[in-house]
Amino acid sequence: MTTAKKPLVIGNWKMNLDYVEAVHLGQQLGVMLKNKPAEHTDIVVAPPFVDIRSVTSIVESERIPMDVGAQHVSAHDNGAHTGEVSISMLKRLNVQWVLVGHSERRSMYAMTDEVVAATLRTVAKNGVKVVLCVGEALSVREEDGQNEFISAQLHSALEGLDENYRELVTVAYEPIWAIGTGLTASTEQVGEMTSHIRSVLFKLSLSEARVLYGGSVNGDNASSLVAESNVDGFLVGGASLKADSFMTIIQSCDECYDGKR
Ligand code: PGA
């Protein structure tokens, strides 16, 4: 067993919600958090780029206790990179977290391990928190190769990371076969992988990093996952698009941290 860390729940809105819808969801979360504060849980939402300004404005003006993150960023600082967004642009909008290497970026937009490592360093050297996403495909798990696969992803992204940046790192384990499929990994599968990830992080001098699970997390499965899988929270896709289900997930983490582990 490792020491329990303060839970973290991140809503990855993916390519959903225009800025009007995003503001609406932000406001709903603000009201709910005022009525039922999550005292022991850090909360982040990661809207599409074009919604970020509106969401940060609401969060700041209404003092909603959550941070705003981005789903991706360029590995480059600036220049001729049509369609990309830089980390300094995000910092100007008070973005405090960036997801790096989400499996949808890796598989659909050719984000290689090298680009993941370079992006992670770009984010970290700017003092912004990184959520490194790792996860194996179903074919890898069917051959029982998940531990080696995840070790390789972690080493490739984190080996040799400047020690000043270590406190900025969170790891999200998201098995590709569980993302958006309704097929959640079992508490045993998540527990085994969380322990494996923690042992790799220990060797990389990153034992303080939080380890999240993502993949079809919802209001029904969150409490057993957080209670039994030794995770420090969740990266939530579909269920973060509705205030009710996202709040249920946050509350599950909050209650679990509050004396139960
Ligand atoms: P999901 O997505 O919760 O919809 O499975 C998780 C993610 O991709 O971050």
Side-chain angles (χ1 to χ4, degrees):
M1 279 301 278
T2 51
T3 326
K5 301 183 172 90
K6 190 178 185 195
L8 168 64
V9 179
I10 305 177
N12 174 11
W13 294 356
K14 307 195 180 185
M15 198 174 72
N16 296 295
L17 310 181
D18 63 29
Y19 87 95
V20 177
E21 295 164 329
V23 166
H24 185 60
L25 179 54
Q27 283 169 326
Q28 284 182 313
L29 291 171
V31 170
M32 288 178 161
L33 286 167
K34 200 167 267 173
N35 291 338
K36 203 161 185 212
E39 287 165 12
H40 311 286
T41 304
D42 291 329
I43 305 166
V44 181
V45 292
F49 285 133
V50 292
D51 299 348
I52 287 176
R53 176 87 197 250
S54 312
V55 175
T56 20
S57 299
I58 288 289
V59 165
E60 283 161 17
S61 65
E62 299 188 14
R63 299 211 175 92
I64 304 173
M66 64 187 190
D67 287 346
V68 178
Q71 300 168 18
H72 176 63
V73 73
S74 173
H76 302 281
D77 289 330
N78 53 33
H81 298 284
T82 303
E84 289 288 284
V85 168
S86 75
I87 189 66
S88 58
M89 294 170 187
L90 295 178
K91 276 182 80 174
R92 287 282 274 190
L93 297 175
N94 286 340
V95 164
Q96 287 149 295
W97 300 77
V98 179
L99 308 184
V100 175
H102 189 281
S103 62
E104 287 154 17
R105 300 297 319 173
R106 293 179 192 255
S107 66
M108 297 179 204
Y109 301 98
M111 194 176 189
T112 60
D113 282 344
E114 291 70 31
V115 177
V116 169
T119 307
L120 190 147
R121 279 157 181 75
T122 299
V123 176
K125 81 174 186 220
N126 280 276
V128 177
K129 298 184 186 98
V130 174
V131 182
L132 170 66
C133 303
V134 296
E136 81 286 355
L138 188 56
S139 56
V140 173
R141 186 161 275 270
E142 281 170 350
E143 293 181 0
D144 203 24
Q146 63 274 11
N147 284 6
E148 293 71 29
F149 187 87
I150 299 298
S151 295
Q153 283 191 325
L154 290 169
H155 275 273
S156 157
L158 297 169
E159 199 139 51
L161 186 71
D162 189 302
E163 62 179 286
N164 295 321
Y165 303 155
R166 286 180 192 152
E167 64 180 36
L168 298 170
V169 175
T170 292
V171 172
Y173 169 57
E174 297 204 303
I176 295 170
W177 46 273
I179 295 179
T181 57
L183 276 179
T184 321
S186 67
T187 51
E188 292 76 24
Q189 287 171 323
V190 179
E192 278 168 24
M193 184 53 81
T194 310
S195 305
H196 174 62
I197 290 173
R198 289 192 202 282
S199 71
V200 177
L201 291 175
F202 176 77
K203 289 187 204 130
L204 291 166
S205 307
L206 276 153
S207 34
E208 292 309 310
R210 287 189 278 201
V211 180
L212 313 183
Y213 168 73
S216 300
V217 175
N218 57 43
D220 295 329
N221 58 29
S223 57
S224 59
L225 280 165
V226 74
E228 295 164 31
S229 302
N230 195 20
V231 290
D232 302 312
F234 299 115
L235 178 53
V236 187
S240 70
L241 297 173
K242 293 267 182 295
D244 284 346
S245 46
F246 193 52
M247 274 301 293
T248 306
I249 295 166
I250 292 166
Q251 293 299 338
S252 303
C253 288
D254 213 51
E255 283 158 21
C256 189
Y257 184 70
D258 194 12
K260 293 212 186 112
R261 25 177 206 167

